[in-house]
Every structure is written in structure tokens, then in C-alpha cells.
Amino acid sequence: TSPAMLEYLDNAQSAANRVNENYARELMELHTLGVSGGASGSRYTQQDVQELARVLTGLGINARGEPPKLGPARAALYRSNGLFEFNPNRHDFGPKRLLGHAIEPRGFAEVEEAVSILAREPATARFISTRLATYFVSDNPPARLIDQMSATFTRTDGDIGAVLTTMFLSP
């Protein structure tokens, strides 16, 4: 929901009839799964990127300060926080499939579900653990350490403090 990221990666212009994949790819490659086929073990496809991009339609910014004109059903789905806005008039309400999971049309709840799916992927645990260990331990951290950190990430549902504790307490 970062307005800067939504603008920088062109998601603020992404809508049901003109989907932009930049933010979806960035979310998958740099923030969760890592590059498909890379060391994290991620195996997402171009279709997964496209489906996530459809999930992310409607996310944008509202510099006007007032909500868009919406019918009653869509008004109930509208969300905003500061400059961040989820505009249901711009959202693709078709069914989607991400990493083998069906995502039913529900507006912003689809975004929350997709992020949860990405966060719980084993590749995400491995990718984030590797990034942390590379930063804090060495350019080539031991595989055993990555395995331990990944297991902690999975067991704690992504608790970064617990993952760092595993790393800091390792020999």
C-alpha cells in the first residue's frame, strides 16, 4: 500500500482494462519469492505474474483527497489511507489463480490473500533468509544456516525477529 511504490512501479495506472505487471513482478522477485528458477527454489510462471497483476488492479494513489464516485456495492469495497487508495471501479473482479491457489473476486481482500500466499511459500522463507544472512553473515552464508533460518521463518509465519534470533545465535 506504499503510495511511492505504487506510483514508481506504475500500479497507480493499472486497471482492469489495462493491467501493468511491474508491481507484481517486483513483489514476487524482490520482496518474496526471488527470481523464478533461482536459488530460492521459486517456480512461478509468467501466468502467475499476470494473475498477481490482476489482483493488484485498483491499488493506487488518491492525490485529490476525496473518494471517487461509486455505486453502493462498490462504495463498501473502497479503501483509503493517506494517499493510498483501493478503487473498486479500477479493479479486475474476475476469478484468478496464483501459484495454484484460486482467488475469488472480493476486492482488496484478494490483495491480502495474495500477499499471504506469497509470504507462506517455502521459496519466500529461503529467499528472505538468504538475503538476511548475506547481509549480516557473509557473501556466501552456510547452507545449514539458511536451512535453519528458513525453518524458523516457516514455523513462525514470517516473524523476522525470530529469524534474526536464529541467525544471531548460530555458531
Side-chain angles (χ1 to χ4, degrees):
T1 61
S2 165
M5 291 298 289
L6 291 166
E7 181 65 25
Y8 180 72
L9 294 168
D10 302 319
N11 208 82
Q13 289 77 42
S14 189
N17 57 349
R18 59 181 189 283
V19 178
N20 185 300
E21 297 175 10
N22 290 352
Y23 194 49
R25 188 170 302 283
E26 193 88 0
L27 185 58
M28 294 173 93
E29 288 183 359
L30 294 179
H31 299 288
T32 57
L33 303 171
V35 176
S36 183
S40 69
S42 67
R43 298 283 179 253
Y44 63 87
T45 65
Q46 175 60 23
Q47 184 67 35
D48 290 313
V49 174
Q50 291 168 339
E51 292 293 284
L52 181 58
R54 291 180 56 223
V55 166
L56 298 175
T57 57
L59 295 181
I61 59 172
N62 180 346
R64 299 174 314 277
E66 55 188 62
K69 298 196 183 326
L70 303 164
R74 295 266 169 107
L77 296 173
Y78 178 77
R79 292 183 71 161
S80 70
N81 183 10
L83 290 174
F84 165 75
E85 165 179 84
F86 173 74
N87 182 342
N89 280 345
R90 299 173 54 84
H91 183 65
D92 178 342
F93 277 96
K96 299 153 190 94
R97 187 160 203 81
L98 177 63
L99 302 172
H101 299 268
I103 298 179
E104 298 300 321
R106 297 181 332 273
F108 188 78
E110 296 172 43
V111 176
E112 295 169 322
E113 182 179 358
V115 169
S116 181
I117 290 167
L118 293 171
R120 289 186 170 93
E121 277 290 307
T124 297
R126 186 158 197 78
F127 179 71
I128 291 174
S129 295
T130 301
R131 299 271 313 252
L132 289 169
T134 300
Y135 184 82
F136 286 107
V137 177
S138 78
D139 288 344
N140 295 302
R144 183 168 180 254
L145 175 61
I146 300 303
D147 292 343
Q148 291 169 337
M149 293 170 66
S150 297
T152 300
F153 186 100
T154 300
R155 185 181 69 255
T156 63
D157 203 25
D159 182 333
I160 297 299
V163 174
L164 289 171
T165 297
T166 297
M167 182 187 69
F168 290 138
L169 295 178
S170 74

